[in-house]
Amino acid sequence: LRYSAKAHHALGTHPPYTQSTMKFTSTFLALAGISAATADSYQCPGSAAWVYAWAEVDVTTTASCADAQAEVQARVAGTQDGSWTDPHNGGTYNVLSDSSYLELSRTTANGQYTDKMDLTFTDSGTGCTISGCSESQVTSIADFSTNYCNMRMLYCGTADGCTAVNGDLGSTETNKKTSAGASSTASDCFPSSTAVEDHTFVESVFGGVVHAAHDEAEVARRALRGSH
């Protein structure tokens, strides 16, 4: 089982509560009460968090699976040597496992937060079907499309505003799904600001099990003023 919720992280400062902050925080705490949903057939990395956000996608490419996987891995490597930049706030990807599926991690530009994702490549005629699942590794609810963007940035093409390493994959999204509170909006993957990514936004507090409420209030305050 995994909980259908998603958010991201506190940044370590502790301002006083305000009425607007409390309203924002209360909304996301209410979402955290959503009952657990049975995991579907997607290959997913899993998360140690009790409540966490996730996104799933299905993508077809005109490129073969061999070429699609090579392009994904080239972009991953590019974030490490500087030859390719993640349009979604300059995150850094790493390959965790490469067997029957590709397991990756993405760390935010500020180095504080890491998500994990699994990509499965299945031959489809001369093309390929990519099934992806990205999951937050912390207790979370809303993600402003972070998990979705984790995956989209690896297969998107020039028509989407992305830069390929080896060549466009001819990708088309055929399905996308997120946990309650998470989102899958393509424009979120290209933030207008180059500020350091805050990664996730509302950290849930459950009887002191996870984090102090003042941390959550800070994240809510930053999200309300559009800092992501």
Side-chain angles (χ1 to χ4, degrees), residues 59-74 98-102 119-131 154-155 166-170:
V59 180
T60 61
T61 69
T62 56
S64 68
C65 283
D67 288 345
Q69 186 163 348
E71 175 64 24
V72 168
Q73 291 184 306
D98 181 5
S99 54
S100 58
Y101 60 91
L102 189 62
L119 300 176
T120 301
F121 300 82
T122 305
D123 291 322
S124 179
T126 58
C128 186
T129 297
I130 304 172
S131 296
L154 296 175
Y155 56 74
N166 300 324
D168 275 3
L169 298 180

Side-chain angles (χ1 to χ4, degrees), residues 63 78 95 181:
V95 175

Side-chain angles (χ1 to χ4, degrees), residues 5 35-36 47 58 70 80 95 101 114 117 121-122 141 154 168 175 209:
S35 59
S47 175
D58 289 309
Q80 299 170 29
V95 175
Y101 60 91
T114 299
M117 68 214 74
F121 300 82
T122 305
I141 301 171
L154 296 175
D168 275 3
N175 181 57
V209 173

Side-chain angles (χ1 to χ4, degrees), residues 72-85:
V72 168
Q73 291 184 306
R75 295 187 194 188
V76 169
T79 65
Q80 299 170 29
D81 63 21
S83 61
W84 184 82
T85 301

Side-chain angles (χ1 to χ4, degrees), residues 46-58:
S47 175
W50 175 39
V51 175
Y52 59 93
W54 51 266
E56 297 169 343
V57 296
D58 289 309

Side-chain angles (χ1 to χ4, degrees), residues 178-190:
T178 69
S179 54
S183 50
S184 56
T185 304
S187 59
D188 289 345
C189 303
F190 300 90

Side-chain angles (χ1 to χ4, degrees), residues 11 88-90 108-113 191 193-199 201 222 227-228:
L11 299 175
H88 188 223
N89 291 310
T108 53
N110 59 18
Q112 294 183 352
Y113 310 113
S193 171
T194 57
V196 174
E197 183 181 14
D198 288 341
H199 192 221
F201 287 79
R222 293 178 68 91
S227 61
H228 189 268

Side-chain angles (χ1 to χ4, degrees), residues 91-110:
T92 300
Y93 290 87
N94 283 282
V95 175
L96 301 181
S97 177
D98 181 5
S99 54
S100 58
Y101 60 91
L102 189 62
E103 184 157 285
L104 308 172
S105 66
R106 177 183 177 275
T107 302
T108 53
N110 59 18

